[in-house]
Amino acid sequence: MKISKWNVLATIIFLIVACNKADNLEDIDYEMTFIKPAHFPEPIYKLAYNSISKAQFDLGRKLFYDPILSRNNTISCGSCHISQNAFTHHGHDLSHGIDDQLGTRNTMPIMNLAWGNSFFWDGGVLHLDLTPAAPIENPVEMDEKLSNVIAKLNANKDYPALFKKAYGSSVVTSITLLKSLGQFMAMLVSANSKYDQVIAGKATFTTQELTGYNIFKTQCNTCHKEPLFTDYSYRNNGQALNVFNDYGRYDITNLEEDKLKFKVPSLRNLKYTAPYMHDGKFYTLESVINHYRFQIRDTQNLDPILKEKGRIDLSEEDVASLTAFLNTLNDESFVNDKHFQEQ
Amino acid sequence: MKKIIFIAAAFATLLASCSKETTFDTATTGKVKIKFDHIAHGKNLVLDTELYTNNSNETYSISMLKYYISNIKLTKTNGDIYEVPQNDSYFLVDESKIESLQPTFDAPEGEYIALEFNLGIDSNTNVQPLEGRLGVLDIANNDMYWSWNSGYIFFKMEGSSEASSSQDKKFRYHIGLFGGMNSPTVNNNKIIKLDLNAAGTAKVQQNLSADIHLITDVGTLFNGTTKISLAANPTVMVTGPNQEIANNYATMFTHDHTHNYQKLDE
C-alpha cells in the first residue's frame, strides 16, 4: 500500500495531538483502583469498593496542588509535599510555609498512608481524611480557616461543577473537601521498589544487598517493620531535646511516658526524602546510621531496645551493606507516576 | 337557684380538671426544651459590655461563651431512662446565638424527674470518621475543633481583663481532650446530672413543650474547687489547669424551674 504524504502528515498531527492530550491526565480516561500489594497487610483506610472514580481522583489531585487552600493563595499541599521527593520537602530540614515562615518539624512523606493508624510526627490526627485540616489551619503552613477554604471553593468558577461530577452535589462541604484530599492521599501507594520485587520473586538481591537485608532484620526490623518499614509506634531514638523544646508525642497526650517520642518513620524512598528525622537534622543516610552507631543519648524515655544495646554495633562493611539494602527500598515508579503529579 | 347550680357545676368542673391526673401516652412524643440562662457571679451575662468580678477580685468582661452538650438522657418517675438518639442530641450552646440557647428535642410523653447530659463530646464521636461530622460537629464551621490534635473543643470562654497577664489583656479558655484513642489521656468530658424534683419535674405531652430552665453561672469557672485566676492563667488550652477548669465549670448548672405544657412556637 502506498502511503500518501497526507496520510503521514495526518498521522503526525494525530500523534502531536495525542501527545499533548496525554500530558494532561485530566483529559484522558483511566480508572483509579486501590490495589493492596500482596505482601502488605489489610489497609486501615477503606476506599469504597477499593476504587475511586476518575472525577474524585482528579478533584483530589487538583485540590492537593491548588494554593487556594492557603490564606493568600500561595501555598498548596504540593508546595511542601513534592511528588518527585516521595511527597516531602526535599532539602529543607524544617518546612517553610506561608510568607516563608518556618515550622518546627520536617515534612513527612505521603506514601502508604492507607496503612496509617495516626498521622504526623506526634500522631495528633487519627484519620487520614482529617489530616488536611492541620496544615490548612496551621499559622506557619497555610494559615487559612477551613470554613474560608470552603467559601472560596464554592465561589470559584470551576470547583462547584467538579464537586458535582465527583460527589453529586455542587455545594462544597467540609466532608467532600476533606474526603477528596483523603482519598487522593490514600491512593499514593509505594510498593514497587526492588525490595518489593524481590519479595514477589521478580528480582534478586545482590550479595551485598542480601547481607544488608540480614543486618536490617536483626538490627532495625523491630521498629522499622517490614513491609511498610514502620510499626507506627512512637519512640525516643536517642536524640537530644531540640531548640524548639519539641517533646513530640507528649504534646498530644501530656503523658510523661511520651516525652521525646516521635512516630517511627518508614524507610521507604529514603533516596528522595532527605533530610531525615522529625527536625530534619540529618542530611545524609550515613549520618543517620552513625547516630545509631555513636550518638544515642540516654534521654528520658529512651527506647528500651536502644537503652539495652547502648548503640547499634555495625562495622564499616556492615554500614555499606545496610546502605545497599536500604537503597533497594527506593521506588522510582512511585515518584515518577504522572497520575500523582500536578497536571 | 338555677344560677347557683350552674356556678357549683362550673366549680366542680374546674376542681376536677385541676386534680385530674394527666395521663401520658408513651407511644407519642412531645418536646423538651433545655433553656440555658447564663449568668456570671450572680449577674446576668451580657457579652462584651458588662463587667464581672471573680473571687480573686479580678474584674473581667466576657466576649465569647460556647460549649457542647450531648448524649442527653431523661429519667422517668419509675426510673426508666430515655436516651435521646445520639445524632439528635449534639448541641452547641453559643451565647451569641439566641436560638442555640434552647436545645429542643423529642421525648416520649411522661413525667421526668432527672436530666442528664454530657458537657463535651464523647470519645467515640471524637474519633469517628469524617462522614458523621455534620451540623454542629462539622469541623469547618464552628471553631470548636483542634486540627493538629484532632478533637473537639468542648468549652470556650474568652474575654478581657486588666488583671490578665497576657500581653493583649485577654483571656482564653479552650477546654477539650477526650481521653485519647490508644493510651488513656486526660478526658475533660463531664456528665452533668440534674434532679428535677425540687424545682419542678418535666411533663412531656404531645404538641407541647416541657421547658427545663437552667441557670448557668459561668463564674464557677474561676470560683470552683480550684481557684482560677486571670493573672496566673490567662490562657488555658491543652496545657495548664484544663482539668481543674473543667471540674469547676461542671458545677455551673442549677435547675431553676420547669414550665410544662408550653405551646410550641410555630
Side-chain angles (χ1 to χ4, degrees), chain A residues 14-257:
Chain A
F14 173 77
L15 279 172
I16 290 169
V17 172
C19 285
N20 278 340
K21 281 233 157 196
D23 278 355
N24 189 336
L25 292 169
E26 282 167 13
D27 297 333
I28 60 166
D29 240 358
Y30 56 87
E31 200 184 332
M32 292 311 297
T33 310
F34 181 91
I35 299 162
K36 184 189 89 64
H39 56 303
F40 276 30
E42 282 301 314
I44 289 172
Y45 190 93
K46 305 286 185 206
L47 281 159
Y49 314 110
N50 285 335
S51 69
I52 66 174
S53 71
K54 182 175 180 299
Q56 290 173 346
F57 183 81
D58 284 355
L59 174 59
R61 179 179 54 207
K62 186 176 169 69
L63 288 163
F64 186 86
Y65 289 107
D66 195 333
I68 196 170
L69 302 190
S70 65
R71 184 203 355 114
N72 58 6
N73 305 320
T74 58
I75 304 280
S76 73
C77 307
S79 302
C80 296
H81 295 284
I82 301 162
S83 62
Q84 290 84 347
N85 300 117
F87 297 91
T88 56
H89 207 181
H90 182 70
H92 293 274
D93 49 354
L94 306 171
S95 305
H96 59 93
I98 203 159
D99 306 328
D100 278 330
Q101 293 188 83
L102 275 181
T104 59
R105 290 187 186 150
N106 180 18
T107 306
M108 297 194 93
I110 299 177
M111 59 181 177
N112 301 337
L113 295 189
W115 287 268
N117 55 15
S118 61
F119 302 89
F120 302 112
W121 285 106
D122 56 20
V125 179
L126 300 164
H127 282 284
L128 183 55
D129 289 335
L130 295 172
T131 57
I136 288 172
E137 299 205 331
N138 188 320
V140 299
E141 294 183 39
M142 296 159 103
D143 194 29
E144 180 58 293
K145 286 269 167 209
L146 264 185
S147 53
N148 209 36
V149 172
I150 292 163
K152 282 194 283 185
L153 292 172
N154 275 313
N156 184 275
K157 68 180 170 56
D158 300 324
Y159 276 109
L162 294 173
F163 274 88
K164 172 134 180 110
K165 211 171 144 193
Y167 295 101
S169 167
S170 58
V171 180
V172 185
T173 67
S174 63
I175 293 185
T176 49
L177 166 64
L178 296 171
K179 196 88 207 162
S180 290
L181 290 162
Q183 290 190 140
F184 174 68
M185 290 190 285
M187 295 294 291
L188 303 178
V189 176
S190 176
N192 193 31
S193 64
K194 178 171 184 185
Y195 161 83
D196 298 300
Q197 288 168 7
V198 171
I199 296 293
K202 292 178 192 160
T204 47
F205 284 136
T206 65
T207 314
Q208 193 187 35
E209 287 165 356
L210 187 60
T211 308
Y213 183 36
N214 288 325
I215 294 168
F216 167 83
K217 283 197 281 193
T218 55
Q219 305 283 11
C220 320
N221 197 26
T222 315
C223 310
H224 297 286
K225 200 166 173 277
E226 293 178 80
L228 292 152
F229 293 90
T230 169
D231 65 349
Y232 293 101
S233 64
Y234 307 92
R235 297 174 189 259
N236 174 352
N237 69 345
Q239 298 176 71
L241 180 64
N242 69 17
V243 292
F244 304 108
N245 284 324
D246 189 348
Y247 282 101
R249 180 71 179 149
Y250 172 79
D251 290 349
I252 301 301
T253 65
N254 281 306
L255 299 172
E256 277 296 315
E257 70 208 48

Side-chain angles (χ1 to χ4, degrees), chain B:
Chain B
M1 187 64 193
K2 222 175 172 182
K3 210 173 184 179
I4 293 166
I5 289 170
F6 176 76
I7 291 168
F11 267 106
T13 315
L14 275 174
L15 284 172
S17 57
C18 285
S19 63
K20 196 182 122 195
E21 271 300 301
T22 317
T23 51
F24 295 111
D25 176 4
T26 50
T28 58
T29 61
K31 295 281 180 201
V32 176
K33 225 181 248 180
I34 309 177
K35 291 190 160 185
F36 288 93
D37 195 347
H38 295 123
I39 62 173
H41 311 288
K43 180 180 177 183
N44 191 32
L45 177 59
V46 180
L47 292 181
D48 301 316
T49 52
E50 288 296 333
L51 295 175
Y52 307 93
T53 305
N54 65 22
N55 62 0
S56 303
N57 285 332
E58 296 166 326
T59 297
Y60 63 96
S61 64
I62 298 173
S63 59
M64 177 196 287
L65 174 71
K66 288 160 89 168
Y67 54 88
Y68 278 113
I69 67 161
S70 56
N71 302 359
I72 301 166
K73 294 175 187 173
L74 289 164
T75 308
K76 280 190 179 168
T77 44
N78 66 1
D80 285 354
I81 291 173
Y82 172 68
E83 290 185 29
V84 180
Q86 196 173 27
N87 283 337
D88 301 333
S89 76
Y90 298 110
F91 293 97
L92 179 57
V93 177
D94 180 346
E95 179 65 13
S96 70
K97 292 180 180 158
I98 290 170
E99 68 282 4
S100 79
L101 302 178
Q102 303 187 355
T104 305
F105 49 89
D106 292 323
E109 284 197 355
E111 184 176 6
Y112 294 91
I113 57 168
L115 166 69
E116 180 185 317
F117 56 83
N118 179 35
L119 178 50
I121 297 291
D122 67 40
S123 308
N124 285 337
T125 307
N126 267 288
V127 300
Q128 72 172 324
L130 185 63
E131 285 79 355
R133 297 173 187 260
L134 299 161
V136 297
L137 297 178
D138 189 329
I139 67 166
N141 289 340
N142 304 296
D143 271 338
M144 292 294 274
Y145 173 80
W146 282 315
S147 58
W148 55 277
N149 182 1
S150 62
Y152 291 97
I153 300 167
F154 303 157
F155 177 99
K156 256 191 191 182
M157 186 161 109
E158 296 185 1
S160 301
S161 172
E162 280 305 310
S164 166
S165 54
S166 76
Q167 237 172 6
D168 57 7
K169 295 288 168 201
K170 290 193 170 152
F171 66 87
R172 295 172 183 88
Y173 301 124
H174 297 182
I175 310 298
L177 303 178
F178 60 84
M181 183 131 138
N182 304 314
S183 43
T185 54
V186 171
N187 189 337
N188 282 323
N189 276 293
K190 297 290 167 195
I191 304 289
I192 310 298
K193 290 180 179 166
L194 297 166
D195 187 333
L196 306 179
N197 280 305
T201 57
K203 293 168 184 172
V204 177
Q205 268 213 314
Q206 194 177 20
N207 298 325
L208 296 171
S209 171
D211 296 355
I212 303 171
H213 198 120
L214 306 182
I215 300 281
T216 303
D217 193 332
V218 297
T220 57
L221 184 154
F222 301 101
N223 296 7
T225 315
T226 309
K227 197 165 162 178
I228 298 294
S229 117
L230 290 160
N233 292 106
T235 306
V236 180
M237 295 180 187
V238 295
T239 54
N242 58 80
Q243 292 170 272
E244 290 77 3
I245 287 178
N247 284 331
N248 281 358
Y249 68 57
T251 65
M252 70 183 174
F253 302 98
T254 307
H255 179 221
D256 192 69
H257 60 268
T258 303
H259 288 300
N260 288 314
Y261 312 127
Q262 296 298 296
K263 272 194 180 168
L264 298 168
D265 356 295
E266 294 306 328

